[in-house]
Amino acid sequence: AVEPKTQADREKLADALAALAEEDPTFKVKMDADTGQTLISGMGELHLEIIKDRMFREFKVQANAGKPMVAYRETITAAATGEHIFQREIGGRGHFGAVKLDVAPRERGAGNTVEFAVSEAQIPSIFHETVEQGVRDGLITGILGNYPLIDVGVRIISGASHPVDSTEVAFRSAAIMALREAAKGAQPALLEPIMKVEIITPDEHLGDVIGDANGRRGRIKEMVAHEGAQVIQAEIPLAELFGYSTSLRSITRGRASYSMEPARFDLVPQGLQESILNR
């Protein structure tokens, strides 16, 4: 990841990356939508070190370069209820809306849902879309580290309205605050991306490769012998895979290779979760 220090450096960085990408088709640049970081990729860590050196030396870019950030997620592990009454005067007009809702965890990968179980007198149907938008906005921001909440079932169970003062602003705000209250009481937890990793290594380095994978909080799922080599199927947290190509090359004398793809999100161990959030 490369982060410019000032707006002028941002413009210099964009020009430098465009020029480098134009002359080198193996060099790729993209913006990570989850973290906002500028990510560069190439043929290996040495390739990227040369790219960074050229940016700083030839193009005079002032920027910080380091590991990419992990796009964590949040979820809940228990059911809970939250409610909020929004009642204020804004611009000389009253705004009133009240929302009460339940939240419950869903299966991993099931996504978020929003259901309504309220009468027309409690929350008129004309405000249902606004309430749902408020809930979904609250899910996007999360409560632990501002990461999106996923795999949460939300059910609107009660509310209150006013014949004159009920507004979209009031119901949206009430929905957001009710969701945050419920999520805080639903034992929130941090999720991290888990990668499916396939490693091909000579037999003599099998023990070292497995030991290294276990040290990265990996789980070995399967091993298959194939023409004097071992094909290892493993699941390893993405946070533990930065710099893995260099490590794998070192412990196998450059004879092993690997590929990876996203598998799922899984709970972060409690001790590690506290460290991530404090950071």
Side-chain angles (χ1 to χ4, degrees):
V2 183
E3 293 299 321
K5 298 179 179 179
T6 66
Q7 181 58 38
D9 291 325
R10 187 176 300 278
E11 295 173 359
K12 280 186 179 181
L13 176 63
D15 292 340
L17 293 176
L20 291 167
E22 185 176 355
E23 68 180 52
D24 184 353
T26 65
F27 174 61
K28 305 294 182 183
V29 183
K30 72 173 183 178
M31 176 72 75
D32 190 292
D34 290 315
T35 65
Q37 286 187 306
T38 300
L39 303 182
I40 60 176
S41 58
M43 298 298 289
E45 292 186 36
L46 178 60
H47 183 201
L48 296 181
E49 286 295 332
I50 294 172
I51 292 290
K52 287 194 298 181
D53 181 67
R54 289 190 62 191
M55 280 194 301
F56 299 152
R57 181 169 44 82
E58 294 181 23
F59 294 92
K60 309 300 181 185
V61 172
Q62 297 294 318
N64 296 317
K67 293 180 179 179
M69 294 170 60
V70 175
Y72 292 100
R73 295 288 186 270
E74 299 176 18
T75 193
I76 58 174
T77 58
T81 300
E83 61 181 320
H84 186 81
I85 299 173
F86 186 93
Q87 187 172 14
R88 293 183 187 175
E89 185 173 315
I90 303 174
R93 180 190 172 182
H95 294 264
F96 177 86
V99 174
K100 183 176 182 179
L101 53 80
D102 287 340
V103 296
R106 306 187 72 211
E107 291 185 5
R108 194 68 61 240
N112 298 326
T113 60
V114 181
E115 301 177 2
F116 285 83
V118 293
S119 68
E120 182 74 12
Q122 292 174 322
I123 301 179
S125 57
I126 60 172
F127 294 116
H128 282 196
E129 184 177 348
T130 299
V131 170
E132 180 173 348
Q133 185 59 53
V135 168
R136 295 196 180 277
D137 287 346
L139 291 170
I140 289 174
T141 55
I143 57 170
L144 289 176
N146 294 325
Y147 300 109
L149 276 159
I150 62 172
D151 302 332
V152 177
V154 181
R155 192 166 64 102
I156 316 300
I157 58 174
S158 183
S161 61
H162 187 278
V164 176
D165 291 343
S166 285
T167 62
E168 291 185 352
V169 170
F171 273 112
R172 180 180 178 279
S173 299
I176 292 175
M177 298 309 296
L179 175 73
R180 294 185 66 82
E181 179 184 324
K184 287 178 181 178
Q187 299 178 22
L190 203 60
L191 297 171
E192 64 180 341
I194 306 298
M195 308 300 288
K196 178 181 178 182
V197 183
E198 181 180 89
I199 310 165
I200 302 176
T201 179
D203 291 332
E204 59 264 34
H205 298 297
L206 179 62
D208 292 332
V209 171
I210 291 177
D212 182 69
N214 289 334
R216 296 173 184 271
R217 298 190 287 124
R219 299 176 185 173
I220 306 301
K221 309 296 287 185
E222 183 182 15
M223 290 188 295
V224 178
H226 181 69
E227 297 180 358
Q230 293 286 339
V231 180
I232 304 170
Q233 303 290 344
E235 291 183 345
I236 305 176
L238 176 60
E240 305 291 343
L241 287 171
F242 297 128
Y244 184 55
S245 59
T246 298
S247 176
L248 184 64
R249 187 165 56 245
S250 175
I251 62 179
T252 64
R253 300 189 181 94
R255 299 178 63 195
S257 62
Y258 81 101
S259 62
M260 64 179 181
E261 62 182 73
R264 66 182 190 282
F265 281 90
D266 206 351
L267 292 171
V268 174
Q270 186 61 38
L272 185 58
Q273 172 175 306
E274 295 177 1
S275 174
I276 293 170
L277 294 176
N278 290 336
R279 183 180 64 198

Tab-separated table of all heavy atoms in Angstrom, residues 199-248:
chain	number	residue	atom	x	y	z
A	199	ILE	N	-0.826	-24.787	-1.726
A	199	ILE	CA	0.633	-24.744	-1.710
A	199	ILE	C	1.170	-26.020	-2.350
A	199	ILE	O	0.743	-27.120	-2.011
A	199	ILE	CB	1.176	-24.628	-0.270
A	199	ILE	CG1	0.476	-23.494	0.479
A	199	ILE	CG2	2.688	-24.422	-0.273
A	199	ILE	CD1	0.687	-23.533	1.971
A	200	ILE	N	2.101	-25.863	-3.285
A	200	ILE	CA	2.758	-27.014	-3.918
A	200	ILE	C	4.223	-26.975	-3.503
A	200	ILE	O	4.944	-26.025	-3.796
A	200	ILE	CB	2.639	-26.958	-5.454
A	200	ILE	CG1	1.166	-26.906	-5.861
A	200	ILE	CG2	3.321	-28.170	-6.080
A	200	ILE	CD1	0.954	-26.740	-7.357
A	201	THR	N	4.659	-28.023	-2.787
A	201	THR	CA	6.013	-28.043	-2.248
A	201	THR	C	6.655	-29.414	-2.433
A	201	THR	O	5.947	-30.433	-2.399
A	201	THR	CB	6.001	-27.680	-0.750
A	201	THR	OG1	7.338	-27.727	-0.236
A	201	THR	CG2	5.137	-28.633	0.052
A	202	PRO	N	7.985	-29.478	-2.635
A	202	PRO	CA	8.673	-30.773	-2.662
A	202	PRO	C	8.499	-31.513	-1.334
A	202	PRO	O	8.327	-30.879	-0.277
A	202	PRO	CB	10.144	-30.379	-2.884
A	202	PRO	CG	10.085	-29.026	-3.514
A	202	PRO	CD	8.893	-28.364	-2.931
A	203	ASP	N	8.548	-32.839	-1.385
A	203	ASP	CA	8.326	-33.653	-0.189
A	203	ASP	C	9.250	-33.278	0.958
A	203	ASP	O	8.837	-33.248	2.119
A	203	ASP	CB	8.505	-35.139	-0.520
A	203	ASP	CG	7.406	-35.672	-1.424
A	203	ASP	OD1	6.287	-35.124	-1.361
A	203	ASP	OD2	7.663	-36.617	-2.189
A	204	GLU	N	10.533	-32.976	0.648
A	204	GLU	CA	11.492	-32.743	1.729
A	204	GLU	C	11.222	-31.471	2.526
A	204	GLU	O	11.749	-31.288	3.622
A	204	GLU	CB	12.924	-32.701	1.180
A	204	GLU	CG	13.183	-31.631	0.143
A	204	GLU	CD	13.054	-32.160	-1.281
A	204	GLU	OE1	12.201	-33.046	-1.503
A	204	GLU	OE2	13.813	-31.684	-2.146
A	205	HIS	N	10.399	-30.574	1.986
A	205	HIS	CA	10.102	-29.330	2.705
A	205	HIS	C	8.695	-29.332	3.307
A	205	HIS	O	8.246	-28.304	3.819
A	205	HIS	CB	10.236	-28.146	1.753
A	205	HIS	CG	11.609	-27.964	1.198
A	205	HIS	ND1	12.702	-27.678	1.983
A	205	HIS	CD2	12.070	-28.046	-0.080
A	205	HIS	CE1	13.776	-27.572	1.219
A	205	HIS	NE2	13.426	-27.812	-0.031
A	206	LEU	N	8.014	-30.473	3.256
A	206	LEU	CA	6.624	-30.537	3.698
A	206	LEU	C	6.471	-30.106	5.156
A	206	LEU	O	5.593	-29.299	5.488
A	206	LEU	CB	6.085	-31.952	3.507
A	206	LEU	CG	4.633	-32.186	3.956
A	206	LEU	CD1	3.678	-31.313	3.148
A	206	LEU	CD2	4.259	-33.668	3.808
A	207	GLY	N	7.316	-30.623	6.038
A	207	GLY	CA	7.213	-30.301	7.453
A	207	GLY	C	7.398	-28.818	7.728
A	207	GLY	O	6.655	-28.231	8.532
A	208	ASP	N	8.374	-28.214	7.062
A	208	ASP	CA	8.630	-26.789	7.268
A	208	ASP	C	7.450	-25.941	6.781
A	208	ASP	O	7.079	-24.956	7.417
A	208	ASP	CB	9.911	-26.361	6.537
A	208	ASP	CG	11.153	-26.977	7.153
A	208	ASP	OD1	11.125	-27.267	8.362
A	208	ASP	OD2	12.152	-27.159	6.420
A	209	VAL	N	6.884	-26.328	5.647
A	209	VAL	CA	5.764	-25.568	5.089
A	209	VAL	C	4.540	-25.667	5.989
A	209	VAL	O	3.858	-24.656	6.262
A	209	VAL	CB	5.429	-26.066	3.665
A	209	VAL	CG1	4.126	-25.442	3.166
A	209	VAL	CG2	6.568	-25.733	2.702
A	210	ILE	N	4.264	-26.875	6.492
A	210	ILE	CA	3.113	-27.058	7.382
A	210	ILE	C	3.327	-26.289	8.684
A	210	ILE	O	2.416	-25.630	9.198
A	210	ILE	CB	2.881	-28.550	7.659
A	210	ILE	CG1	2.388	-29.252	6.381
A	210	ILE	CG2	1.865	-28.746	8.789
A	210	ILE	CD1	2.190	-30.738	6.534
A	211	GLY	N	4.535	-26.363	9.221
A	211	GLY	CA	4.831	-25.632	10.453
A	211	GLY	C	4.661	-24.132	10.286
A	211	GLY	O	4.119	-23.448	11.163
A	212	ASP	N	5.088	-23.619	9.131
A	212	ASP	CA	4.942	-22.186	8.868
A	212	ASP	C	3.463	-21.811	8.734
A	212	ASP	O	3.032	-20.776	9.249
A	212	ASP	CB	5.695	-21.824	7.585
A	212	ASP	CG	5.633	-20.337	7.274
A	212	ASP	OD1	6.252	-19.554	8.017
A	212	ASP	OD2	4.967	-19.962	6.293
A	213	ALA	N	2.699	-22.662	8.058
A	213	ALA	CA	1.261	-22.391	7.899
A	213	ALA	C	0.552	-22.407	9.253
A	213	ALA	O	-0.295	-21.552	9.537
A	213	ALA	CB	0.626	-23.402	6.951
A	214	ASN	N	0.894	-23.362	10.104
A	214	ASN	CA	0.290	-23.420	11.436
A	214	ASN	C	0.656	-22.187	12.255
A	214	ASN	O	-0.164	-21.673	13.025
A	214	ASN	CB	0.744	-24.684	12.167
A	214	ASN	CG	0.121	-25.949	11.590
A	214	ASN	OD1	-0.955	-25.902	11.006
A	214	ASN	ND2	0.802	-27.073	11.738
A	215	GLY	N	1.874	-21.697	12.085
A	215	GLY	CA	2.309	-20.501	12.785
A	215	GLY	C	1.581	-19.258	12.327
A	215	GLY	O	1.589	-18.236	13.022
A	216	ARG	N	0.957	-19.318	11.179
A	216	ARG	CA	0.159	-18.205	10.651
A	216	ARG	C	-1.334	-18.403	10.950
A	216	ARG	O	-2.179	-17.848	10.262
A	216	ARG	CB	0.385	-18.073	9.136
A	216	ARG	CG	1.822	-17.714	8.779
A	216	ARG	CD	2.047	-17.762	7.276
A	216	ARG	NE	3.446	-17.515	6.949
A	216	ARG	CZ	3.972	-16.306	6.726
A	216	ARG	NH1	3.184	-15.244	6.759
A	216	ARG	NH2	5.256	-16.165	6.453
A	217	ARG	N	-1.639	-19.170	11.956
A	217	ARG	CA	-3.027	-19.485	12.339
A	217	ARG	C	-3.780	-20.210	11.228
A	217	ARG	O	-4.991	-20.070	11.081
A	217	ARG	CB	-3.793	-18.218	12.752
A	217	ARG	CG	-3.213	-17.519	13.966
A	217	ARG	CD	-4.132	-16.432	14.492
A	217	ARG	NE	-4.147	-15.260	13.624
A	217	ARG	CZ	-5.229	-14.744	13.088
A	217	ARG	NH1	-6.401	-15.298	13.286
A	217	ARG	NH2	-5.158	-13.670	12.333
A	218	GLY	N	-3.044	-20.974	10.433
A	218	GLY	CA	-3.652	-21.692	9.320
A	218	GLY	C	-4.218	-23.043	9.739
A	218	GLY	O	-3.839	-23.608	10.773
A	219	ARG	N	-5.129	-23.550	8.922
A	219	ARG	CA	-5.697	-24.878	9.125
A	219	ARG	C	-5.439	-25.698	7.874
A	219	ARG	O	-5.859	-25.313	6.777
A	219	ARG	CB	-7.200	-24.798	9.382
A	219	ARG	CG	-7.582	-24.009	10.620
A	219	ARG	CD	-9.094	-23.918	10.726
A	219	ARG	NE	-9.524	-23.079	11.836
A	219	ARG	CZ	-10.772	-22.720	12.071
A	219	ARG	NH1	-11.733	-23.149	11.240
A	219	ARG	NH2	-11.079	-21.945	13.094
A	220	ILE	N	-4.761	-26.818	8.039
A	220	ILE	CA	-4.504	-27.705	6.910
A	220	ILE	C	-5.756	-28.543	6.663
A	220	ILE	O	-6.227	-29.268	7.546
A	220	ILE	CB	-3.291	-28.624	7.186
A	220	ILE	CG1	-2.063	-27.795	7.575
A	220	ILE	CG2	-3.005	-29.483	5.957
A	220	ILE	CD1	-1.624	-26.793	6.535
A	221	LYS	N	-6.318	-28.440	5.469
A	221	LYS	CA	-7.558	-29.144	5.146
A	221	LYS	C	-7.320	-30.467	4.432
A	221	LYS	O	-8.041	-31.427	4.619
A	221	LYS	CB	-8.446	-28.252	4.278
A	221	LYS	CG	-8.681	-26.847	4.823
A	221	LYS	CD	-9.427	-26.859	6.136
A	221	LYS	CE	-10.887	-27.209	5.930
A	221	LYS	NZ	-11.658	-27.101	7.202
A	222	GLU	N	-6.257	-30.485	3.582
A	222	GLU	CA	-6.026	-31.691	2.779
A	222	GLU	C	-4.598	-31.670	2.242
A	222	GLU	O	-4.034	-30.609	1.977
A	222	GLU	CB	-7.018	-31.739	1.613
A	222	GLU	CG	-6.921	-32.990	0.760
A	222	GLU	CD	-7.900	-32.976	-0.410
A	222	GLU	OE1	-8.442	-31.885	-0.717
A	222	GLU	OE2	-8.106	-34.034	-1.032
A	223	MET	N	-4.008	-32.871	2.089
A	223	MET	CA	-2.690	-33.014	1.463
A	223	MET	C	-2.754	-34.162	0.462
A	223	MET	O	-3.253	-35.245	0.787
A	223	MET	CB	-1.605	-33.284	2.508
A	223	MET	CG	-1.286	-32.101	3.412
A	223	MET	SD	0.160	-32.410	4.451
A	223	MET	CE	-0.451	-33.763	5.459
A	224	VAL	N	-2.258	-33.897	-0.744
A	224	VAL	CA	-2.289	-34.912	-1.797
A	224	VAL	C	-0.908	-34.988	-2.439
A	224	VAL	O	-0.318	-33.958	-2.805
A	224	VAL	CB	-3.343	-34.575	-2.874
A	224	VAL	CG1	-3.316	-35.622	-3.983
A	224	VAL	CG2	-4.731	-34.471	-2.252
A	225	ALA	N	-0.361	-36.213	-2.542
A	225	ALA	CA	0.931	-36.405	-3.202
A	225	ALA	C	0.730	-36.364	-4.710
A	225	ALA	O	-0.224	-36.938	-5.249
A	225	ALA	CB	1.533	-37.743	-2.790
A	226	HIS	N	1.671	-35.696	-5.395
A	226	HIS	CA	1.549	-35.573	-6.842
A	226	HIS	C	2.937	-35.416	-7.464
A	226	HIS	O	3.570	-34.380	-7.348
A	226	HIS	CB	0.678	-34.363	-7.206
A	226	HIS	CG	0.477	-34.176	-8.677
A	226	HIS	ND1	-0.280	-35.042	-9.446
A	226	HIS	CD2	0.942	-33.229	-9.529
A	226	HIS	CE1	-0.283	-34.641	-10.698
A	226	HIS	NE2	0.465	-33.531	-10.776
A	227	GLU	N	3.425	-36.488	-8.097
A	227	GLU	CA	4.679	-36.475	-8.841
A	227	GLU	C	5.844	-35.896	-8.033
A	227	GLU	O	6.498	-34.934	-8.416
A	227	GLU	CB	4.518	-35.684	-10.155
A	227	GLU	CG	3.515	-36.305	-11.108
A	227	GLU	CD	3.370	-35.505	-12.390
A	227	GLU	OE1	4.036	-34.449	-12.502
A	227	GLU	OE2	2.608	-35.935	-13.277
A	228	GLY	N	6.097	-36.507	-6.870
A	228	GLY	CA	7.231	-36.097	-6.055
A	228	GLY	C	7.027	-34.829	-5.269
A	228	GLY	O	7.955	-34.333	-4.627
A	229	ALA	N	5.827	-34.283	-5.298
A	229	ALA	CA	5.528	-33.062	-4.547
A	229	ALA	C	4.254	-33.267	-3.747
A	229	ALA	O	3.512	-34.235	-3.945
A	229	ALA	CB	5.369	-31.879	-5.495
A	230	GLN	N	4.020	-32.376	-2.825
A	230	GLN	CA	2.815	-32.406	-2.017
A	230	GLN	C	1.971	-31.169	-2.328
A	230	GLN	O	2.485	-30.047	-2.358
A	230	GLN	CB	3.168	-32.415	-0.527
A	230	GLN	CG	3.868	-33.695	-0.062
A	230	GLN	CD	2.910	-34.866	0.038
A	230	GLN	OE1	1.698	-34.682	0.152
A	230	GLN	NE2	3.445	-36.088	-0.003
A	231	VAL	N	0.680	-31.388	-2.580
A	231	VAL	CA	-0.255	-30.293	-2.799
A	231	VAL	C	-1.067	-30.124	-1.517
A	231	VAL	O	-1.809	-31.022	-1.118
A	231	VAL	CB	-1.183	-30.566	-3.993
A	231	VAL	CG1	-2.153	-29.390	-4.180
A	231	VAL	CG2	-0.374	-30.804	-5.257
A	232	ILE	N	-0.893	-28.991	-0.868
A	232	ILE	CA	-1.522	-28.731	0.421
A	232	ILE	C	-2.678	-27.751	0.226
A	232	ILE	O	-2.506	-26.690	-0.367
A	232	ILE	CB	-0.507	-28.129	1.415
A	232	ILE	CG1	0.711	-29.043	1.555
A	232	ILE	CG2	-1.155	-27.870	2.766
A	232	ILE	CD1	1.859	-28.403	2.315
A	233	GLN	N	-3.837	-28.124	0.739
A	233	GLN	CA	-4.987	-27.227	0.762
A	233	GLN	C	-5.133	-26.712	2.192
A	233	GLN	O	-5.272	-27.498	3.126
A	233	GLN	CB	-6.258	-27.944	0.323
A	233	GLN	CG	-6.188	-28.579	-1.061
A	233	GLN	CD	-6.155	-27.546	-2.175
A	233	GLN	OE1	-6.480	-26.369	-1.968
A	233	GLN	NE2	-5.753	-27.962	-3.356
A	234	ALA	N	-5.091	-25.404	2.345
A	234	ALA	CA	-5.152	-24.822	3.686
A	234	ALA	C	-6.047	-23.586	3.697
A	234	ALA	O	-6.349	-23.012	2.649
A	234	ALA	CB	-3.751	-24.468	4.169
A	235	GLU	N	-6.450	-23.192	4.885
A	235	GLU	CA	-7.171	-21.937	5.081
A	235	GLU	C	-6.372	-21.095	6.072
A	235	GLU	O	-6.084	-21.549	7.187
A	235	GLU	CB	-8.588	-22.185	5.605
A	235	GLU	CG	-9.492	-22.844	4.573
A	235	GLU	CD	-10.913	-23.022	5.068
A	235	GLU	OE1	-11.129	-22.900	6.301
A	235	GLU	OE2	-11.808	-23.281	4.247
A	236	ILE	N	-6.000	-19.879	5.643
A	236	ILE	CA	-5.139	-19.012	6.446
A	236	ILE	C	-5.724	-17.602	6.448
A	236	ILE	O	-6.146	-17.115	5.395
A	236	ILE	CB	-3.702	-18.980	5.870
A	236	ILE	CG1	-3.138	-20.391	5.747
A	236	ILE	CG2	-2.790	-18.130	6.756
A	236	ILE	CD1	-1.763	-20.454	5.087
A	237	PRO	N	-5.756	-16.920	7.587
A	237	PRO	CA	-6.244	-15.541	7.626
A	237	PRO	C	-5.409	-14.632	6.730
A	237	PRO	O	-4.184	-14.743	6.689
A	237	PRO	CB	-6.092	-15.146	9.099
A	237	PRO	CG	-6.112	-16.438	9.847
A	237	PRO	CD	-5.442	-17.427	8.940
A	238	LEU	N	-6.079	-13.736	6.015
A	238	LEU	CA	-5.383	-12.827	5.114
A	238	LEU	C	-4.341	-11.990	5.853
A	238	LEU	O	-3.267	-11.702	5.311
A	238	LEU	CB	-6.395	-11.899	4.431
A	238	LEU	CG	-5.825	-10.818	3.507
A	238	LEU	CD1	-5.036	-11.433	2.355
A	238	LEU	CD2	-6.942	-9.928	2.977
A	239	ALA	N	-4.622	-11.608	7.087
A	239	ALA	CA	-3.692	-10.780	7.856
A	239	ALA	C	-2.344	-11.454	8.046
A	239	ALA	O	-1.327	-10.783	8.275
A	239	ALA	CB	-4.299	-10.442	9.218
A	240	GLU	N	-2.303	-12.789	7.961
A	240	GLU	CA	-1.063	-13.533	8.174
A	240	GLU	C	-0.330	-13.839	6.866
A	240	GLU	O	0.725	-14.477	6.890
A	240	GLU	CB	-1.371	-14.853	8.890
A	240	GLU	CG	-2.131	-14.709	10.190
A	240	GLU	CD	-1.300	-14.068	11.284
A	240	GLU	OE1	-0.058	-14.035	11.150
A	240	GLU	OE2	-1.892	-13.589	12.275
A	241	LEU	N	-0.865	-13.412	5.740
A	241	LEU	CA	-0.288	-13.794	4.445
A	241	LEU	C	0.532	-12.694	3.783
A	241	LEU	O	1.105	-12.920	2.722
A	241	LEU	CB	-1.401	-14.250	3.491
A	241	LEU	CG	-2.003	-15.631	3.821
A	241	LEU	CD1	-3.230	-15.894	2.968
A	241	LEU	CD2	-0.957	-16.724	3.619
A	242	PHE	N	0.601	-11.498	4.371
A	242	PHE	CA	1.431	-10.459	3.784
A	242	PHE	C	2.903	-10.873	3.911
A	242	PHE	O	3.379	-11.192	5.000
A	242	PHE	CB	1.181	-9.115	4.455
A	242	PHE	CG	-0.228	-8.617	4.283
A	242	PHE	CD1	-0.981	-8.215	5.375
A	242	PHE	CD2	-0.816	-8.576	3.024
A	242	PHE	CE1	-2.278	-7.764	5.216
A	242	PHE	CE2	-2.115	-8.130	2.854
A	242	PHE	CZ	-2.842	-7.724	3.956
A	243	GLY	N	3.618	-10.873	2.798
A	243	GLY	CA	5.019	-11.310	2.800
A	243	GLY	C	5.195	-12.812	2.738
A	243	GLY	O	6.307	-13.314	2.891
A	244	TYR	N	4.106	-13.540	2.508
A	244	TYR	CA	4.195	-15.005	2.525
A	244	TYR	C	5.049	-15.543	1.389
A	244	TYR	O	5.742	-16.543	1.559
A	244	TYR	CB	2.793	-15.609	2.462
A	244	TYR	CG	2.782	-17.120	2.560
A	244	TYR	CD1	3.387	-17.762	3.627
A	244	TYR	CD2	2.177	-17.902	1.577
A	244	TYR	CE1	3.378	-19.152	3.727
A	244	TYR	CE2	2.157	-19.285	1.670
A	244	TYR	CZ	2.764	-19.901	2.754
A	244	TYR	OH	2.773	-21.277	2.849
A	245	SER	N	5.007	-14.893	0.234
A	245	SER	CA	5.791	-15.403	-0.903
A	245	SER	C	7.279	-15.434	-0.582
A	245	SER	O	7.974	-16.400	-0.909
A	245	SER	CB	5.530	-14.542	-2.145
A	245	SER	OG	5.887	-13.195	-1.903
A	246	THR	N	7.782	-14.397	0.091
A	246	THR	CA	9.197	-14.365	0.462
A	246	THR	C	9.513	-15.441	1.488
A	246	THR	O	10.536	-16.132	1.397
A	246	THR	CB	9.566	-12.984	1.038
A	246	THR	OG1	9.363	-11.996	0.025
A	246	THR	CG2	11.013	-12.948	1.490
A	247	SER	N	8.631	-15.612	2.472
A	247	SER	CA	8.848	-16.627	3.499
A	247	SER	C	8.839	-18.032	2.905
A	247	SER	O	9.704	-18.855	3.223
A	247	SER	CB	7.763	-16.504	4.574
A	247	SER	OG	7.886	-17.535	5.535
A	248	LEU	N	7.869	-18.297	2.025
A	248	LEU	CA	7.774	-19.623	1.414
A	248	LEU	C	8.994	-19.911	0.547
A	248	LEU	O	9.540	-21.018	0.557
A	248	LEU	CB	6.497	-19.717	0.576
A	248	LEU	CG	6.195	-21.079	-0.052
A	248	LEU	CD1	5.956	-22.116	1.026
A	248	LEU	CD2	4.983	-20.982	-0.978
